[in-house]
Amino acid sequence: MAYDYSKYLRSGKIPHIWCPGCGYGIIMKSLIRAIDATGLDKDEIVLTSGIGCASRLPGYMDFNTLHTTHGRSLAFATGVKVANPKLKVIALGGDGDMTAIGGNHFIHACRRNIDITCFVFNNYIYGMTGGQYSPTTPKNAKATTAPYGNADNQFDIAQLAIGAGATFVARTTTYHAVPMEKLIKQALDHKGFSVVEIMAGCPTGYGRKNKQGSPANMILWQKENAVPANKAKEMSEEEMAGKFAIGVLHEVHKPEYVEAYDAQVGLK
Ligand SMILES: Cc1ncc(C[n+]2csc(CCOP(=O)(O)OP(=O)(O)O)c2C)c(N)n1
Ligand code: SF4
């Protein structure tokens, strides 16, 4: 029997606003399947987002959802988790949302190791507002705000998360839809702050400007440039140039923030 997604969707909010060929629908599908695999009840889950095309996702999903202000997905998620630690809290946003205006929230959530799962949809661009460059836009790539090419150095979201103290960090792509589902489930099961960076093509805001071809070509680009984490470890910097590692990149166990806080103030 075909998988029934309708249980998790707000059918009244569909059709969605994403462009044809946008990678975000694939992420939503994997997210639904991973959440379903946790066996959690819908009421036990909270999804928060900021503003942007990525951040439209909770609007389509039938959980407790908070569509907040730009960059504030993790700030709201932190408040929810502290108020009710029993909830499974998921925060999501685009690369701009999480690493530009929300960058401070991102690094401090990593540092605290609060039990939230964070998904960063990395399409290398500000999609919703018309293709301005973001902290992940590759050097020399074109954007509406960089018509001669981007002069800035690129953030590596996964490395940023590891450096800031996140205890589970992974990366995947929309090409790897099936492994993505498993990786999302692993992140949801991890106790502590988990981050999954998901490479997703934005044909409208990034692909067109950078002559990446059709949405299908953009997905093939992900396939060709993604290197499994184990293999990437053995490759030199030169061999990895222009490529990126996928899979679980970092996993350690440290005290979780809400539990550690309660113990500190004598609540436990
Ligand atoms: C305080 C504030 N500043 C700027 C904006 C405009 N804005 C809305 S979405 C967005 C960019 C979103 O880009 P990203 O997070 O990468 O998500 P995408 O749309 O690519 O999924 C910006 C700058 C806003 N809504 N609020
Ligand atoms: S602008 Fe880009 S990110 Fe936004 S819906 Fe269109 S393809 Fe997706």
Side-chain angles (χ1 to χ4, degrees), residues 131-148:
Q132 297 89 353
Y133 67 86
S134 86
T136 61
T137 306
K139 198 161 187 155
N140 302 321
K142 298 248 168 65
T144 49
T145 43
Y148 301 100

Side-chain angles (χ1 to χ4, degrees), residues 17-24 53-54 123 125-128 201-206:
I17 59 152
W18 295 321
C19 309
C22 177
Y24 291 167
C53 300
N123 59 10
I125 209 83
Y126 285 165
M128 181 169 270
C202 169
T204 307
Y206 185 80

Side-chain angles (χ1 to χ4, degrees), residues 113-117 167-168 187 190-194 254-256:
N113 194 34
I114 188 161
D115 187 28
I116 291 171
T117 308
T167 48
F168 180 98
H190 177 83
K191 179 80 172 272
F193 194 70
S194 49
K254 282 189 190 167
E256 190 278 324

